[in-house]
Structure formats: C-alpha cells, structure tokens
Amino acid sequence: MNKMTNKTRRVLLKAVGASSLITFSSAGTHYSLAQNNPSQYAYNFDNKINRVGVNSIKWDSAIAHYGEKKIKVPMTIADMDFQQMPEVKDAFLKRIKYESYGYETPPKSYFDAIIKWNRDLYGLDIKKEWIRNSSGLVAAMAPAIRALNPAGGKVIVMTPTYNGFFKEIKNTGMRMVTSPMKKNGSRWEMDLDDLESQLDDETKILILCNPNNPTGECWTAEELRALGDVCIRNGITVLSDEIWAGCTRKSHKYTPYASIGDKYANSSITYQSAAKLFNQPMLKTSYFFTQNDALLNAAMNDGGHHDEVNVFGIIGTEVAFTQGRRWMEEMNKYLDDNFDLLDSYINKQNKIPGIRFNIPEATYLAWLDCSVLIKRLTNADKLPKDQAPEKALSQWLIENSGVQINPGINYGIGGDGYMRMNIALPRIQCEEALNRIAKAVAAV
Ligand SMILES: Cc1ncc(COP(=O)(O)O)c(C=O)c1O
C-alpha cells in the first residue's frame, strides 16, 4: 500500500464513487440494468471496482500526477476495470493455506492448460518441450533480440504499434526501424514493399503484434503469410506478440502466426499470456514457444533468459485457461456492447463532433481519429503549441472533462491525429466518460 492516509483514501474513494477498497460480489448475484440480458451472464462486469489505493497506474499514478479533482475516468493503460474471475481468488486462497513459498517447478497441469487452451480455442498444436516461461512478454523478447540480432543491429516494427516494443528494443542496445502501415478504409494494412525495402544485413528480427495494439487488426492467414514470405526471404526471425489472442470482437478470429504453415512456425517465436484476456498483468507470468530448437536454444542460452515465474502467476494462468472460457466469452460480449455504445454515441449520433472511429477486430482499445477535433481546438487556441497536438489534446481532456486517454503518437509513425481509449470498464463509467467529453467539446 502506498503512503496515503486513511482520510486521503476516503476522499479518493468518494471521487470514484465507490465505498470500499475493492468491492467483490460473488459471481452471478448482482446485476445492474446496464448489462444487457443479465440472466445470460454468470459474471458481473457492471460492478464498479475501486482501484484507488492499490498503486494502480491507471488510477493512482494519474491522480498523484494530475490531482484527484482532475481524474474522473482514466481510460489509459491496457488493463481492465473488471472484477477478476472469482475462481482465481478461490485457487489463490487454497494455495495460501499451504504456507510455504520454497522453490517449485511449474506443474504439468500448467503446461497442459496452455496446450489445451491453444488447441481448443485457436486450433494450434504446441508441445510442452517447446514452451518456456517468463515474467512478461516484453521481458521475454529481450533475450531473443540479443541472441538473434547482430550487436547494435536493427529490429523492425510496423507502426502504429505497442510502444513497449520501442523501449525494449532500445534497452537491448539495438536500433528500431519503422515500417509505417497504411490505412485502407476501416483497416490498417502492412506495407510490405516498404518493409522489404528497409531490410538489410543488420536486421534479423521483426516484432509482430498479432492482433495489433492499438489499431485492433486480427491479421488474416493471408496477410501473415505474405509478411512471413518477406521475412523468410530476407532471413528475418519473427517475434510474434500474441498477448491479445482471444480478445476478439464479434465475428473476428485471431490467427496464430505459428498456425499458418510449417516454414512460418519454424522461423518464429510466439509470445502469449493470460494477462490481457484475463486481466492478470501484475501476476507477471507469460510464456513463449517455438518448434525450432535452434531458436529456442538461442533465446534461452545465448540470450540468457531466466525461466522462473511466480507461483501465483502459474495458478492464475492455469485457472484462467481451464475454468475461464465462460468468463472470457462474457467479457468479450460485454466489450462488444461497450463498443456498440461508443459506435452509437460517436459515429451514429455524432455527439462528439470531430471524432470518428471504427470498431476494432480485436482488443478493448478504441483507436479514435481526432484529427478534426484537434484542428478545431487548435484554431480556437485551446491547445498549447509547444507540444504535440495529441499530447495537448490528452491534457485538454483531463483539464476539461476529467477523462484521460493516450495520445496516438505514443504508438509511432501513423499515430498522429489519433488517441487511444481503453473501454474495458463498466458501462456506466464508459457512458460517463463519453458524456464528459461531449460536454467539454460542446463548450468550445
Ligand atoms: C501488444 C502488447 N504486448 C505486450 C504488452 C505488455 O505485456 P507484459 O506486461 O507481459 O510485458 C502489452 C500491454 O499492453 C501489449 O499490448
């Protein structure tokens, strides 16, 4: 717990409209009207949980930085403001009763859960001996980058994409090369001619984000094969970040890179975890796999990777992948309904003039085209000119609406004019955020 006094904490709790630190209600017992057809749900996503006072980045860090009066609905870092599936808590309580945290190895049941989940949900067959563990996807990629790229070499990414890659590439002492994607209608597409033109002897790694954060594409098998062909032709190993696997919208399907053909599987390493889908990023447990022994060896031994993970992360992953299917399906349905709300509010009713967006194929991130709004606010002298307009808009929204969203330029070339909004929160808070932004924009 941080150094907040009880009084400060009570004030903050009041600010977010909750009365206890975290309100847990048992699954299936409480529903509010916001959740469509509540009788179909076993879990409650309408429950407003309070994340203030537990050092949460989205809430506590923002409040510490901007003040409690400013932060009313933070919609930033990619975690969910939903209650964890109760089965995880039950499993933790059982483990806590065994009062030893001595050295252990991950049990066979943990690997079986990963293998079965991938087979049942994504049609992907992986073997236990291909799998290694890590404390997170980004942490796991660093040793592979070091082992497979020449020292000081280049790593290529297609932007806009997850900005954690940028920092990690730098941390490994490599240089990042960017191939910007192109927007075609509602979708962003890879520009493979541009990508190939940038490859050279110093570049041996491409980091793929599949599905892509922040633009939300579920790459199809055809798109992945076309990318894979360029990579294979140029001796590039694909590190495929598939942390968003399964977090798909309506009819869209996630296609694992390792499922599109043997030669693609053989020249890639896939990184996954339960962290996004089941909201467990602080359990700090992920895994990666490849059928290619040489790649696995390089990432492990040459890259100096450590395979140890947290005992609670192992439990969280196993419970999620063995008991979490219904929770995941309901959570995805709830997110679809949140996106429908956004679509109706923003696109159909035009209640926030100057913003448009397309419902993504995956993720819980709305990639908002705010270019018209930025122009309007700039012309009205509302955005300071000494910083990037997207950062200025983020600041303006905090000041004027109490809603915090991420500037699109954080995600690399192509992100200008865009903002990223995390809609994994109870509908009532999503509605509140939209109303707050609409009111602020209407006042200009
Ligand atoms: C595409 C992607 N990869 C990795 C991460 C971070 O994963 P980890 O915390 O396991 O490093 C995120 C977090 O938002 C992400 O969106």
Side-chain angles (χ1 to χ4, degrees):
M1 196 63 66
N2 60 20
K3 290 185 198 118
M4 262 183 229
T5 63
N6 277 343
K7 189 171 165 237
T8 325
R9 224 176 75 209
R10 274 198 306 277
V11 171
L12 296 182
L13 292 171
K14 226 175 129 201
V16 298
S19 57
S20 63
L21 191 63
I22 292 181
T23 52
F24 278 135
S25 66
S26 53
T29 51
H30 302 296
Y31 299 105
S32 78
L33 289 176
Q35 200 160 294
N36 289 347
N37 301 321
S39 59
Q40 292 172 1
Y41 282 84
Y43 300 99
N44 186 352
F45 298 94
D46 280 333
N47 215 13
K48 210 166 150 186
I49 64 165
N50 180 21
R51 300 188 57 200
V52 177
V54 288
N55 303 317
S56 96
I57 292 178
K58 193 189 281 167
W59 287 90
D60 288 305
S61 303
I63 288 170
H65 193 267
Y66 295 103
E68 68 207 48
K69 288 208 180 92
K70 295 275 161 63
I71 299 295
K72 298 300 176 192
V73 194
M75 304 171 93
T76 52
I77 196 164
D79 60 22
M80 304 184 200
D81 285 356
F82 298 140
Q83 180 183 330
Q84 178 63 220
M85 54 181 274
E87 291 82 350
V88 170
K89 182 177 71 171
D90 296 344
F92 282 176
L93 290 174
K94 213 163 131 199
R95 178 62 182 79
I96 283 167
K97 283 191 187 137
Y98 174 66
E99 295 177 65
S100 164
Y101 299 106
Y103 290 111
E104 296 174 19
T105 53
K108 180 176 176 300
S109 53
Y110 160 79
F111 292 101
D112 288 347
I114 292 170
I115 291 166
K116 189 168 175 349
W117 181 261
N118 272 281
R119 186 185 305 131
D120 291 354
L121 272 92
Y122 315 136
L124 183 66
D125 273 316
I126 49 182
K127 295 198 168 68
K128 178 176 180 295
E129 53 279 18
W130 300 351
I131 305 173
R132 296 293 181 274
N133 304 301
S134 182
S135 61
L137 271 81
V138 170
M141 278 183 188
I145 292 173
R146 278 195 214 99
L148 299 167
N149 225 25
K154 302 182 205 160
V155 176
I156 193 154
V157 293
M158 291 174 287
T159 60
T161 197
Y162 171 57
N163 50 349
F165 299 147
F166 309 163
K167 199 166 143 211
E168 203 54 31
I169 291 170
K170 202 165 165 215
N171 286 344
T172 59
M174 306 288 168
R175 287 162 288 159
M176 183 173 80
V177 178
T178 297
S179 176
M181 297 192 290
K182 286 184 174 159
K183 189 149 191 232
N184 184 5
S186 63
R187 276 187 110 238
W188 289 73
E189 291 178 349
M190 306 173 188
D191 183 347
L192 297 184
D193 290 337
D194 174 77
L195 180 87
E196 189 154 21
S197 74
Q198 299 209 52
L199 302 177
D200 60 20
D201 285 349
E202 291 185 301
T203 320
K204 296 288 166 213
I205 300 274
L206 174 135
I207 301 181
L208 169 68
C209 194
N210 175 37
N212 192 46
N213 164 11
T215 54
E217 286 72 27
C218 277
W219 303 117
T220 64
E222 291 69 33
E223 286 173 317
L224 293 174
R225 280 194 200 106
L227 171 70
D229 290 340
V230 171
C231 291
I232 290 169
R233 211 164 38 237
N234 290 279
I236 304 285
T237 300
V238 174
L239 305 185
S240 190
D241 177 324
E242 307 196 353
I243 198 170
W244 289 96
C247 192
T248 46
R249 312 275 52 85
K250 292 196 176 158
S251 57
H252 294 284
K253 198 173 143 271
Y254 143 74
T255 304
Y257 187 81
S259 72
I260 57 170
D262 203 49
K263 63 179 176 180
Y264 308 100
N266 214 36
S267 53
S268 65
I269 306 178
T270 297
Y271 298 79
Q272 294 180 338
S273 75
K276 286 293 160 230
L277 199 52
F278 291 96
N279 200 30
Q280 301 179 348
M282 274 313 277
L283 293 184
K284 291 284 151 215
T285 298
S286 71
Y287 55 92
F288 57 95
F289 56 86
T290 174
Q291 66 178 46
N292 183 326
D293 277 351
L295 286 184
L296 195 58
N297 243 326
M300 294 300 295
N301 303 325
D302 307 345
H305 175 73
H306 292 276
D307 200 41
E308 293 85 17
V309 279
N310 186 291
V311 63
F312 289 99
I314 290 171
I315 294 169
T317 305
E318 186 177 330
V319 171
F321 286 171
T322 51
Q323 301 174 51
R325 185 140 181 186
R326 178 150 189 187
W327 190 92
M328 178 206 73
E329 286 168 0
E330 293 189 5
M331 182 274 299
N332 271 329
K333 168 80 177 79
Y334 195 87
L335 293 179
D336 285 339
D337 291 345
N338 273 3
F339 273 116
D340 284 344
L341 167 73
L342 233 66
D343 186 41
S344 166
Y345 199 99
I346 292 178
N347 295 329
K348 298 193 173 116
Q349 299 177 59
N350 193 26
K351 284 196 185 173
I352 314 179
I355 301 186
R356 284 289 178 272
F357 90 109
N358 299 109
I359 297 179
E361 297 171 356
T363 79
Y364 44 71
L365 307 167
W367 185 234
L368 306 175
D369 180 349
C370 297
S371 46
V372 175
L373 177 61
I374 286 174
K375 249 186 225 139
R376 225 181 99 206
L377 293 176
T378 307
N379 291 342
D381 267 341
K382 298 290 180 194
L383 302 184
K385 297 199 172 62
D386 59 348
Q387 56 180 325
E390 298 76 16
K391 292 200 170 165
L393 176 58
S394 176
Q395 185 71 34
W396 185 86
L397 284 170
I398 292 168
E399 299 289 342
N400 291 278
S401 73
V403 178
Q404 188 181 17
I405 56 180
N406 295 117
I409 47 152
N410 290 0
Y411 307 93
I413 299 172
D416 48 302
Y418 286 85
M419 303 292 284
R420 194 189 80 165
M421 175 186 263
N422 176 349
I423 58 104
L425 75 180
R427 192 140 319 126
I428 195 165
Q429 287 172 293
C430 200
E431 279 165 354
E432 180 187 342
L434 292 172
N435 288 333
R436 283 175 168 278
I437 296 174
K439 195 170 159 200
V441 170
V444 176

